[in-house]
Amino acid sequence: MNSVEAVARILKLEGVEWVATFPSNPMIEAIAKEGIRLIMFRQERGAVMAADGYSRTNDRKKFGVVVTQGGPGAENAMGGIAQAFADNVPVLLLPGGPSLGARSVRPNFAPSRAYAPIVKQTEAILHSEHVGNVMRRAFHALRNGKAGPVVVETPDDVGSAQVPEHVLTDYHSPKRSVISPSRSDVK
């Protein structure tokens, strides 16, 4: 199993039922193989808006997930993600990214760096062994604290790298820590 397939498996373990997308990203095929419904949009902003709406209606129990290509696809999603950030909406964005050797080469666009000012949390999977830890932190951020979008970039070469078996067997879904009283307690 490679990193992209491991991310798709974790999405399934986390209960993700559908993913908004605009091609092309190898994660799309891996998500389909996991039996998660893919909804293709005409452009990235529409995909983000659909995921945003889904998150708003599910009270942090389920989250909108968006997969885009790296470069221009990740750039086109910025407006929708900025709006989700302004409104404190938890959305998971999974863009592709340039290979590790090209991350700092201009004009390559590294989403994990570019999105930092307009998301709650951003990370890049820099090694295939880190897939589980990065995804656990992403879902923890989506479920806990002040709400907001989370970006997890998968560089091309890391996406195709093999993942050790223990990464998925060691994966444990983070729990939600409710910090406000229930409505019945307040009443």
Side-chain angles (χ1 to χ4, degrees):
M1 174 177 297
N2 65 29
S3 296
V4 165
E5 293 165 337
V7 169
R9 177 74 47 88
I10 289 170
L11 292 176
K12 185 72 169 180
L13 292 171
E14 289 290 351
V16 173
E17 298 168 349
W18 70 277
V19 172
T21 188
F22 184 80
S24 158
N25 184 321
M27 198 169 296
I28 295 170
E29 188 67 29
I31 289 169
K33 287 179 182 175
E34 287 296 327
I36 299 171
R37 182 176 179 208
L38 289 159
I39 302 176
M40 196 69 60
F41 287 81
R42 289 180 168 250
Q43 45 92 3
E44 293 84 359
R45 178 79 186 247
V48 173
M49 291 169 66
D52 178 300
Y54 183 76
S55 289
R56 287 174 192 254
T57 61
N58 280 289
D59 196 31
R60 295 182 88 175
K61 293 182 176 84
K62 295 181 181 179
F63 307 98
V65 179
V66 182
V67 173
T68 68
Q69 66 181 346
E75 292 168 8
N76 289 339
M78 284 189 101
I81 293 296
Q83 185 64 55
F85 180 67
D87 293 344
N88 301 315
V89 178
V91 173
L92 178 59
L93 175 64
L94 299 167
S99 62
L100 292 177
R103 279 180 68 75
S104 297
V105 177
R106 294 185 80 160
N108 288 329
F109 181 81
S112 59
R113 289 196 307 251
Y115 274 93
I118 60 166
V119 296
K120 177 179 179 179
Q121 182 172 312
T122 180
E123 292 196 50
I125 300 171
L126 300 176
H127 193 281
S128 62
E129 260 190 60
H130 301 162
V131 170
N133 289 332
V134 169
M135 293 303 292
R136 180 186 43 76
R137 288 192 299 268
F139 276 97
H140 182 272
L142 289 166
R143 288 188 176 107
N144 295 290
K146 183 177 178 180
V150 174
V151 174
V152 176
E153 172 188 351
T154 307
D156 290 336
D157 50 351
V158 177
S160 60
Q162 291 301 300
V163 174
E165 282 186 38
H166 73 85
V167 169
L168 286 176
T169 57
D170 292 347
Y171 184 82
H172 299 289
S173 182
K175 302 298 178 216
R176 183 170 184 202
S177 300
V178 180
I179 57 171
S180 60
S182 69
R183 290 185 180 187
S184 62
D185 286 347
V186 171
K187 188 175 179 179

